[in-house]
Amino acid sequence: MKESIRTRLESMRAAMHRHQVDACMVPSSDPHLSEYLPARWQGREWLSGFTGSVGTFIVTQDFAGVWTDGRYWTQAEAELAGTGAKLMKISSGASVQYVDWLAETLKPGQMLAVDGAVLGLSIARLLQARGIALRTDLDLLDEVWTDRPGLPDAPVYEHQRPFADKTRAAKLAALRAEMTRQGAAHHIISTLDDIAYLFNLRGSDVNYNPIFLSHALVDQDRAMLFVGAGKIEPGLAGLLAADNVFVEPYEEAAQALATLPAGSTLLLDPRRITFGTRQAVPDSVRIIEAVNPTTFAKSRKTEHEAEHVRATMEQDGAALCEFFSWLEQTLADPKREPLTEYAIGQHLLEARRRRPGFVSLSFGTIAGFNANGAIMHYRAPAQGSAVVEGNGLLLLDSGGQYTGGTTDITRVVPVGVITQEHRRDFTLVLKGMMALSVARFPRGVKSPMLDAIARAPLWAAGIDFGHGTGHGVGYFLNVHEGPQSISPSTPPDAHTAMEPGMITSNEPGIYRPGKWGIRIENLVLNVPAAESEFGEFLGFETLTLCPIDTRCIDKSLLREDEVRWLNDYHATVRQRLSPHVSGDALRWLNERTEAI
């Protein structure tokens, strides 16, 4: 594989020479700026060998490097070794330090090639502001990636009642009202979860997220949905047409923008659209730049949607009870076959598959034992993954897509004998997670401001972690959803305000490279908490239902109120999950929810 990467880099450099460009940038993105990419746009991975989900690859005639953040450094160092590409460490996934590098490295008159179809508009503007000459009409990957995959062709289907609470017509009406308020006659949407939400449609074009490749152009009377041929069957197309939604070929979105009437107004989100899409808009069209209204709408789950999520959490929690019961019995069996991290992930998948409404995983399961648990986005390989044996901690971060909601949970369990240092770290992480769980805050507070609440118990011990405390979560949509983000790397802009109905992860951690990783994660729902002369206040309802392993706790580090929270949580978990499990799984549930 390393030799193949070196050969591919040679081919790319030859193509750059032919087209007289001095550098080529391959971002981790597609025409929709998706987090998880269809195979056709996994060019950064194909060209560099780095398989992490976040990274920017840059090639010159004498250099190749991947810019990625601390979640992936260990992984990137291993995957890039011997390829001729270098790891370039950045502070966070939101960092654009590679722009500074390009500005310092490229001389006046030198050209950077990057496919405008996948280059984010906001990044393009940063590059241009630094005086970097861009060639965006050239996709060099097409020349060197001779067996490049085509577009996915999986069918699109409806997300139906009772799970789809609001009708397509109602969502379109709300969008149009917001367009009118902002003075826009037209609105272009390219982000796939926004489109899936707006039209009550789902698909399977992207791993883990039930979405489909498309663009949408909405005006005050009709909407055009640009989708690949054959993906929407005639019956569904007829239902869409009844709501004045008309299916058009995927590749004609740019042409539709190019023919907008002179003097018309177009609303677009500069953070959620590519440079190429923006270039298709005529100069005669007035642009209004603002966050997609659907981004706010889909983040605020209705009470009916919240009820479906609660029911989904019961099914997901029951699957986890069955899995953890099996895992503990298997690890305790001295005659068992070697149990690998990858096999553990497969058993967890099978447990979820047995639950009603399950569609797919919501991301690739992270099953990391001891040192591998310290790799924040670790993926156990199918072949050669570590055997779970001896003593230590096993970190499991996993989730599912169900027709009634999206789940994301992290638990850590002991294997064999664990140390006092293990228990101390685990308890500190638990204290951080509980501190945020019970927090109250003014409605509208900027979500990044809550991050320090979860970090405070760790900071007091001189410890920190290199990722955000929480990300928004969709409703049978993307497991990572905005606009809210409880993270120090997220600017506290107005659009990050916390509002009722938002679902967010709560997942502080401690990572000791080469030793172990600990993360405890629940999903929480913003709910009204109080109202006073100082305004409305919100709090969190914990949605996730699964025991937190008390064998890893140092109770001496917990206050009485923290012990009470944990015991109350476990009482709720037992009460909610007991009707859904039996036998060994029920016995495991009862044992792991005993009060401490």
Side-chain angles (χ1 to χ4, degrees), residues 32-34 168 171-172 175 187-202 209-212 214-216 218 225 269 271-273 290-299 474 476-478 480-483:
H32 313 278
L33 304 182
S34 305
R168 185 163 41 243
K171 291 178 178 180
L172 283 164
L175 172 60
H187 177 36
I188 178 67
I189 312 174
S190 289
T191 37
L192 304 183
D193 56 333
D194 284 290
I195 294 170
Y197 162 83
L198 178 62
F199 297 108
N200 282 348
L201 299 174
R202 299 294 188 269
N209 297 330
I211 51 183
F212 56 97
S214 55
H215 300 274
V218 181
L225 182 60
D269 188 338
R271 302 189 213 196
R272 294 172 175 83
I273 205 164
V291 177
N292 287 338
T294 43
T295 297
F296 296 117
K298 67 180 168 57
S299 72
F476 187 38
L477 275 175
N478 293 5
H480 295 147
E481 174 182 279

Side-chain angles (χ1 to χ4, degrees), residues 480-561:
H480 295 147
E481 174 182 279
Q484 80 277 21
S485 172
I486 304 176
S487 172
S489 65
T490 300
D493 297 333
H495 69 266
T496 66
M498 293 293 265
E499 295 290 343
M502 290 178 164
I503 296 176
T504 314
S505 69
N506 174 3
E507 49 178 313
I510 292 176
Y511 308 92
R512 298 192 183 275
K515 295 180 178 179
W516 61 78
I518 296 168
R519 183 165 61 251
I520 303 172
E521 176 185 16
N522 285 339
L523 300 189
V524 293
L525 172 70
N526 289 4
V527 294
E531 191 167 350
S532 70
E533 66 269 31
F534 299 101
E536 296 178 61
F537 284 76
L538 301 177
F540 289 128
E541 173 192 338
T542 296
L543 295 169
T544 302
L545 299 170
C546 182
I548 296 166
D549 205 309
T550 56
R551 296 173 295 174
C552 297
I553 291 175
D554 180 351
K555 189 178 176 181
S556 70
L557 298 177
L558 296 180
R559 302 187 309 266
E560 286 186 12
D561 61 304

